Amino acid sequence: MLVPPTNFEYAPSEAYNYMTTCRECDAACGMMVTVREHRAQKAEGNPNHPLNQGALCARGQASMQALYNPDRQAAPSSKAGGALTWEQGLQEFTQRLNTAGGQVVYLGRPETGTHKAFVAEWLQAVGGGRKVTFDLLSRNALIEANRIAFGKAMVPDYAFEEAQMLINFSSDFLESWGNQVENSRRFVNMHAYQDGKRREFVQVSPQVSLTASKADRWVVINPGTEGVMALALAHVVRNQKGGYDWLERYLEAYAPEKVAAVVGVEAEKIVELAEAFSNETPSLALGGGPVAATEAAVEMQVAINILNAVAGNLNRTVVFPEFSPAEDTSHQQIVDLIQDLNAGRVKVLVVDDSNPLYGLPPELGMAAALQKAYVVSLSSLKSETAGAADLVLPALTPYESWGDAAPRAGVRSLQQPVMAPVNVFDAKAREDVMITVAKGVRRSAFEGITTYKDYLQKAWMQVQSETGRSGLFDNFWVSVLEEGGVFGSTPTTNVELANSVTRVSLPTPAANEGLTLLASSSLLKADGSGANKPWLQEVPDPMSQIVWDSWLEIHPDTAKEMGIDDRDVVEVTTSQGTLSLMAYYYYGIHRNAVAIPIGQGHEGSGAAADGFGVNVMTLLPAKQDASGNLVFSGTAVEVKGTGSKGYTVNMDGNPRQAGRDIAAATTVAALASGEEGHGGHKRRTEIYPDRAETAGYYKPYRWGMTIDLDRCTGCSACVVACYADNNIPVVGKERAAVGREMSWLRLERYFEGYGDEFETRIVPMMCQQCGNAGCEPVCPVYATYHNPEGINAMIYNRCVGTRYCSNNCAYKVRRFNWFSYEFPAPLDQQLNSTMTTREKGVMEKCNFCVPRLTYAKRQAKALGRDLRDGEVMTACQQTCPTQAITFGNLSDPNSRVSQLAMRDDMEQRDRQYEVFPELNFKPAVTYLKKVNTREVGGHSDSAEHA
Amino acid sequence: MHAAALNQYDADAGRVVIDEHLGHPGIEATTLDYGQINDDMLAMLEKPHPSYFLLLLGFLTALVLGVISLAIQVDVGIGYSGISHPIMWGFYITNFVFWVGIGHAGTLISAVFYLTRAPWRTAIYRSAEAMTVFAVMTAGLFPILHTGRPWLAYWLIPYPNERMLWVNFKSPLLWDVFAVSTYMTVSIMFFMLGLIPDMAILRDEALRRGHKLKALIYTPMALAWRGTNHQWVHYMRGYLIFAALATPLVFSVHSIVSWDFAMSSVPGWHTTIFAPYFVAGAIFSGLAMVMTVLIPVRVVFGLEQYISTHVVNSVCKVIIFTSMVVGYAYATEFFIAWYSGSPYERAIFYFRPFGDMTSWTLTGDHNITFPQIAFWLMVFCNVIAPIPLWRYKVRHNLVAVWIICGLINVGMWFERFNIVGSSLQHEYDPASWGEYWPTIVEVGITVGSFGFFFTLFSLFAKTLPPMAIMELKEAANPPMKHSPKEH
Amino acid sequence: MAKFTGVWASFAHLDETTETIEEVRTKGVQPTVLSPCPRHEIDHALGEPQSIVPWIALAFGALGTLIGYSLPAWTASDWVLPVSGKPILAIPPFTVIGFELTILMAAFHTLAGLALLAVIDTLRHPMPAGVKKYLRFQRDRFGVVVRCDESRLDEFMEIMKKNGAEEVHVERT
């Protein structure tokens, strides 16, 4: 669907999809929101959008819970006078601006769209002032380095798919570094095993993030030595490839044997890696992220630029657009702002939803500084910063208001209100409020503009002429609403390495003799904005499998020396203070480092966020790198065990799969030699006839699924999508602790091997819709049975709750309603109206999104035909950025899923396998093995030998 | 006297010589005359000692505790208990299996030993049968109250409803419904049948002694029983048939209960040995419970003549036998787990006694949890503890026997927990391995179940003849004018 | 209460009772005997045929089997719901139901049958009122009841007395 139809009739199942833009992070993916009964019920990616191409990340999926968050700002209020009417609020705001005398600061998120100009015009209208952007996870160091190296202060476009080999220096590009969805897709297209080959991905870092867990090799380096390593590699690569003679002297200092000690990697290993890297052209090296954000972050990025240059990747895998619509995101602005505030040079500070008070290290003194000015919060959600504001004017969420974004040159994405504002909150669009007050300050302000929509349309008239679309603007506007934006190609320019880089001297990092603290990024909480969304708290962190909490990643060897047990409470002390949290044994971290994920430990961001975990930022000193960015890692830290056991809630029953090959992997070599497959997973001969022979069974559909573990990055978007589409309740920390979580789809994480040679495997596990299900025969009342389309149907209303089905399910994917769960208002408005909610005492589980199937089949029937392959997608499949999940009709031999699953000729299978084939449950879900470049030790640990 | 001499152990014959006309060995009551038997038995039904009420109060308190716990759970949801994913069955199913097991001893004694003419059953079978009825009543509660929606439990009964929705006869749980309800019905009928002549006795004795109220109560219960040959001829035949029907039933019931587990795919459950293993266990625990209850009864009511050491002795012998069967079953399980080669089976049978394998844990360390405790407790109580019973001395020491039987009860409860609990903790999918700890409601309901059982039993002991008076007479010397030899 | 004319006596000893029974039977009359518990001696003396209760058990047991198999079979085919690829009509599982219902039906009708037969026989052999008032038959006395017409009363009283009856009663109603 597109713009609201005139004949809007509200059958609960009738869905209308509106194209808009996701504003959870500055990546600004295109979003398609499903609206039923006037309520936005599900967020999906906009298939037209060039960046995310229909997929959405976990946070994008969960943005729905920002819209319906019970802790949204409900009504205008002031610190002095408490609750206000809008008139009073606006009046107060206006007259504050009047008396500000131009000493106004708009503190907001970096914008790429019309909003930039709007804020500028607004500031002018209210008599001057400036905008300060705040983005905790800024990539400013990279931008600065690119300015130095190439004279282009912008983030390049990384052409993963072109690269023959990828070296990643600590960045978390599959999590919150850049556009996660696009990165994932393009990375997997490069990395996934295809036509007998796999291009290698090497992680060079002191810590293994979810991103790093996809790496074929993990090179453990000392914290903060990414840059040195990059130059060491560059040294070898240049010697091999030649060229860049003027770099020779510069790189001399970084000959592997010289830096081996600093980096903590043997020279031979460095050389070997470098040679591999130079043999593969084009290749790609990238770096960044909080773990690498030391004082030398800019220099490190320069070093990586040099590496890319000598490896001949410039303009091939590292491509620069002509211009970038992005705003400067240097934290220097914040530092200056705090100075100005303290000096009293700011009268009125306007803050949007960004939350510096939570994100910034306390040492910067943001809290105190905010007292110095009159703070007006135009936020939609509760937050620490909003809590400190003198005046709170509730803003609408992006779902309810107009806006736009230009995440990349040539890509303009429109954000439209997909529904009327949620009825329980008395909020107004942020920009509309600003326009109103501006007019209050100066009558002439915003001539001929009453709402931000007008302003936006004016801007888009510009866009129309730029993109050379002829015709009436109204038609153009409608087409934009339909499309979700204007998606042109990105104009690029060639760059080359500036000689000036030799002037950049990389400081050799002073290694702490003690432990080093790394503030690692969090996939789900990101800069902390994710924390107040119940889904993102309940969905386990894919690596640690911990929910509703923070943890301290510590290497078992280190911990044992210090007498710290797994799950012990430890006290973590830096110069800035002490936090006590849970120690989590993790092989994926340098022995002299500990890591704490960012994003938890809120105090005033709502019920779902407050009091869960700790805020690692409070441990960091207010240090900055050359680009003015905050330093996240490298802080010396002391860890002390308290001896008391902790109460973290982690969802993995056991960290290892005991050789059961639930998450199976093979190697390139094995595949090449063809020793995989050959009916390796052949099923037993059947005693009983196949259900297909039962009248009316599997005709025309038998639904099935394949999951490619080699493509799966563990981003958890599918899990959140499943929560969103199936009305799955969130149970909270205490209940999750005793295994009452309700997730129909979970990511099982298994570790293989020990020490630095360990391997992580992630396998999405949902109901396998078995042909010979274990759950079915044991149900005394037929509450579950095998339906004609091969789905293991679950009839909630017939369920008595003996729970035998769950006992007998080898995959343990059935969830039981131990209580009558609630969806605290207005979260209940998000409930999918084509799906039931379940009552206390009944079993539930994944059903391949039956409502979607039914809907699609009805559409097809209206057209008088059967469904075509790919016409219907499950929620998890739809949102998967890497298309690891394929769903379709197994009865149709030509469907994509049949092609992938290869159930008909077991002989030809290589990566395909079903979980627990020996039980002969005949699952309808086929997994494709993860492909490794090497065998991991301890992988074949099996239950036999204890 | 002459008759008594005949029933003593005859050294030359190498056995006890039994004369049909002189009743049976081991029951001193053979020399009692019919009237005295009546008087002794009725004495037990006299106004009880205050301590009895104290005891009863204790049992009632336990029962009330259970009822409250249950009320909370039904209101809040089954989640109030410690059961959770993946351990979907816990204390409740454990209790169910345990109590059904307790029930089996009664039927065994009243039916099987009746057919096999084990005369020492006479004195204890009535109480044992009562136990059966009460135990099965208790057991029957658990499958219902453990469901998520107990108020819909009747859906398990195949009745024609408006949608003609039927039940799944392929589900072991449905077999349970049939097995347990059949068992309950038959036990109750059997129990009642045995009571009819005794009711007539109570009626007439009440009339004789002019107890109007008692007479009023017992008259309808006696169903106009007169004890004419026309009544006896059908009665005795029917009784025999009942015994013949109850015998296969008792073996089927616990087999079917065992199939609740054996029919599943769960490692540690999915095994063919379960049926005989469970039946043996049932008899084992049942007899232990009979002793646990009857030894105090004997002491309190001074029934040395009826529940003689010979009776205790014989029960102990059966206990030894079943203990060995159970021990053998344990061993076999481990052998098969190893022999099967299935990693899942091996894993679970390693886990039960020793805990996690080092190859499972992240860093290769090792830890002990609840199941391991349960396992070793089970082995000690069921296999080690009964060994002293091999000695004649111990078998004749009531205190020793009573303590050992108590231990066996504990052990058998933990055997059931070991089966139900531990397997579910470590199934196929390591990512959903879990731990199980009961909460207050489960403990409360478990305690309540014991309260329920013992309340019923102590009420029974004071209102109905705890021994079959009629059968005691049958086993006694008939009053003879002339010595039988002269016939 | 049916009309009763005849003699009844109570005995303290089993052997006296059996002798009385045998003697009464030589006179061509089948007495009714009351005893505190069943004794084979009495059965032998009376020489009456065995009860037919077993046949009832057999018949209804068979019926139970039939129901036990046909109910699952019918319900399964009435609404076909495949579970775990098992055949819709699966004999082994149904056998369990068949077995249980066999036992249930047999047991229930054994009880019903023996009750019915006992009642019928009792009605066919009415009791003199005195017997009910004489409360020791459930305790320790044996009773012999002979139904006869006026003419033979004395004859039977003699037999009773001769065999050492405690009490001998004549009743006419």
Side-chain angles (χ1 to χ4, degrees), chain C residues 8-169:
Chain C
W8 67 270
S10 70
F11 296 84
H13 301 105
L14 180 61
D15 45 2
E16 293 169 338
T17 319
T18 47
E19 283 152 12
T20 316
I21 297 166
E22 279 150 4
E23 193 162 350
V24 169
R25 288 184 65 207
T26 56
K27 302 291 177 206
V29 176
Q30 193 68 14
T32 302
V33 181
L34 299 97
S35 55
C37 65
R39 299 293 318 181
H40 291 302
E41 296 89 337
I42 297 177
D43 300 340
H44 299 322
L46 280 167
E48 286 183 353
Q50 262 299 356
S51 162
I52 59 157
V53 169
W55 296 104
I56 300 176
L58 180 65
F60 283 94
L63 180 62
T65 320
L66 189 67
I67 298 172
Y69 276 99
S70 50
L71 176 71
W74 172 61
T75 54
S77 37
D78 176 45
W79 185 343
V80 173
L81 293 169
V83 290
S84 185
K86 291 185 170 24
I88 302 305
L89 297 180
I91 300 310
F94 297 173
T95 306
V96 176
I97 311 296
F99 175 82
E100 294 300 331
L101 284 188
T102 310
I103 301 285
L104 185 62
M105 293 290 277
F108 186 80
H109 289 90
T110 307
L111 184 63
L114 80 87
L116 188 67
L117 290 167
V119 170
I120 292 170
D121 279 5
T122 315
L123 293 181
R124 292 212 346 261
H125 306 84
M127 284 286 115
V131 170
K132 297 203 191 64
K133 302 207 176 50
Y134 182 86
L135 297 169
R136 292 186 65 174
F137 290 134
Q138 304 302 330
R139 183 175 168 81
D140 54 1
R141 289 293 182 272
F142 299 87
V144 178
V145 182
V146 179
R147 210 177 171 198
C148 62
D149 48 35
E150 285 296 330
S151 56
R152 305 184 67 181
L153 290 175
D154 303 346
E155 175 189 357
F156 286 116
M157 277 170 71
E158 273 316 305
I159 297 171
M160 309 269 187
K161 293 209 179 94
K162 184 168 102 258
N163 289 313
E166 274 187 342
E167 305 174 22
V168 184
H169 299 259

Side-chain angles (χ1 to χ4, degrees), chain B residues 125-336:
Chain B
Y125 95 88
R126 170 67 50 74
S127 315
E129 244 180 15
M131 272 188 220
T132 303
V133 174
F134 302 146
V136 176
M137 281 164 73
T138 319
L141 295 175
F142 282 99
I144 296 169
L145 63 85
H146 104 290
T147 59
R149 302 201 289 179
W151 52 92
L152 296 178
Y154 68 93
W155 281 359
L156 271 70
I157 300 162
Y159 66 99
N161 51 41
E162 67 279 11
R163 291 203 190 82
M164 289 306 263
L165 284 171
W166 293 103
V167 292
N168 177 7
F169 287 97
K170 293 166 194 121
S171 164
L173 293 188
L174 208 77
W175 306 348
D176 259 10
V177 172
F178 276 79
V180 174
S181 51
T182 303
Y183 186 43
M184 180 129 116
T185 323
V186 172
S187 320
I188 292 175
M189 290 194 296
F190 202 18
F191 181 60
M192 295 316 232
L193 186 60
L195 270 173
I196 296 171
D198 287 8
M199 283 299 141
I201 292 170
L202 294 182
R203 176 196 61 202
D204 284 12
E205 289 293 345
L207 287 169
R208 248 165 45 80
R209 302 166 186 205
H211 299 150
K212 295 259 173 308
L213 181 60
K214 283 191 182 174
L216 209 62
I217 298 169
Y218 289 126
T219 308
M221 295 171 82
L223 302 175
W225 181 266
R226 291 274 158 228
T228 65
N229 58 319
H230 306 300
Q231 295 169 333
W232 282 126
V233 68
H234 299 301
Y235 181 88
M236 293 314 288
R237 207 67 182 151
Y239 196 88
L240 184 69
I241 296 296
F242 249 96
L245 290 171
T247 304
L249 179 62
V250 70
F251 290 112
S252 82
V253 170
H254 225 51
S255 306
I256 289 170
V257 169
S258 82
W259 293 336
D260 285 352
F261 306 101
M263 287 289 153
S264 80
S265 67
V266 179
W269 287 8
H270 184 66
T271 155
T272 49
I273 195 181
F274 262 30
Y277 166 24
F278 269 49
V279 172
I283 294 164
F284 184 47
S285 61
L287 290 175
M289 183 58 91
V290 171
M291 284 295 103
T292 327
V293 174
L294 283 189
I295 288 176
V297 170
R298 162 185 156 131
V299 175
V300 172
F301 294 112
L303 299 175
E304 290 72 13
Q305 287 173 300
Y306 297 91
I307 308 174
S308 62
T309 47
H310 173 83
V311 177
V312 179
N313 193 8
S314 321
V315 176
C316 286
K317 286 175 184 166
V318 186
I319 288 180
I320 296 170
F321 170 69
T322 43
S323 152
M324 286 164 67
V325 176
V326 171
Y328 172 75
Y330 297 160
T332 315
E333 274 192 311
F334 278 87
F335 169 75
I336 293 298

Side-chain angles (χ1 to χ4, degrees), chain B residues 436-466:
Chain B
Y436 172 70
W437 289 100
T439 62
I440 179 72
V441 284
E442 283 153 299
V443 177
I445 290 176
T446 308
V447 171
S449 71
F450 280 85
F452 184 62
F453 175 82
F454 284 108
T455 309
L456 287 173
F457 188 83
S458 34
L459 288 177
F460 153 82
K462 269 311 199 179
T463 48
L464 299 173

